[in-house]
Each structure stands twice: as C-alpha cells, then as structure tokens.
Amino acid sequence: REHGALAGALQKFDDEMQKIERSIFRNFKTFFKIVSDRTKLRLWVTDKLLAWEDLLTEADDNFVSYVQETQQSERWADKIWLALEVPNSSRLGKLFSHSLLFMIAISVFVFLIETVKEFQPHSE
C-alpha cells in the first residue's frame, strides 16, 4: 500500500514538474521572441537614425557651401538672406537678431504686466 501511495505521489510530482517545465519553456519562448522583436526594433530605429544623420549631415554640408557662395555674391537679395539666416555673418544680421530678441523680451514683459491688477483698465 505504501509503495502504491509513494508511486502515486511520485507520478503526481512528475506531472507537476512537467507542467512547470512546459510553462518555463513557453515563457522562455515568449521572452526570447520579445527580446528578438525588441532587438529588431532597436536595429531598425538605429538604421533610421543613421539614415537621418546622413541626410542632415548632407543638408548641413549643402547649407554651408551655399552660405559660402552667398558670402561671395554682390546681390542685395543674397546679403539680406545671409543677414537674416546667418546673423553672425554681418553687423546687419547681428543688429536684426538682437532687435528681434529685444522685441520678444518686451512682448513677454508687456504680457506679464497685463496680469497685474493695478495695470488693468477695469480693475476694481
């Protein structure tokens, strides 16, 4: 009798261990699929970022060469474009840049002053 009870307990134990092993295998399979998918996604994102970096580097190189060509030009349109696009290229560009920054600061200051009750026209 004890031998039969022990064999039954061992069989039950083996069945439970097989369930656990199947569960672990399923979980590992899911885990490795997730890791694989994340790795694929990471590689795809890295590839896209490198492509964007190449594109932006090319655009920067083109912009720099265009600015260099424009600096040699005698046309007023090129000088105005250069002053607005690259403020450090001339005194006019620096003046315009600083004036724009000053106007933004004044605008923010006036916006803040409008919230003070003493400056509101219909305050009670």
Side-chain angles (χ1 to χ4, degrees), residues 65-76:
S65 64
Y66 185 72
V67 167
Q68 290 170 345
E69 290 172 15
T70 307
Q71 285 176 332
Q72 306 302 322
S73 175
E74 295 296 324
R75 292 180 31 199
W76 276 98

Side-chain angles (χ1 to χ4, degrees), residues 49-114:
L49 287 175
L50 288 174
W52 271 101
E53 182 182 22
D54 290 343
L55 184 67
L56 292 175
T57 301
E58 182 182 332
D60 286 347
D61 292 344
N62 291 341
F63 180 76
V64 169
S65 64
Y66 185 72
V67 167
Q68 290 170 345
E69 290 172 15
T70 307
Q71 285 176 332
Q72 306 302 322
S73 175
E74 295 296 324
R75 292 180 31 199
W76 276 98
D78 289 340
K79 290 182 187 238
I80 292 172
W81 178 86
L82 198 58
L84 297 177
E85 193 68 29
V86 186
N88 290 333
S89 65
S90 66
R91 278 189 265 160
L92 176 64
K94 288 179 186 176
L95 178 67
F96 182 77
S97 176
H98 289 107
S99 300
L100 192 60
L101 186 60
F102 179 73
M103 294 302 283
I104 291 170
I106 293 293
S107 175
V108 169
F109 178 74
V110 168
F111 178 75
L112 292 174
I113 292 296
E114 285 179 344

Side-chain angles (χ1 to χ4, degrees), residues 32-46:
F32 285 119
K33 182 178 180 336
I34 290 170
V35 168
S36 173
D37 290 347
R38 288 183 70 190
T39 302
K40 288 176 187 173
L41 178 63
R42 187 175 294 128
L43 289 173
W44 182 81
V45 168
T46 303

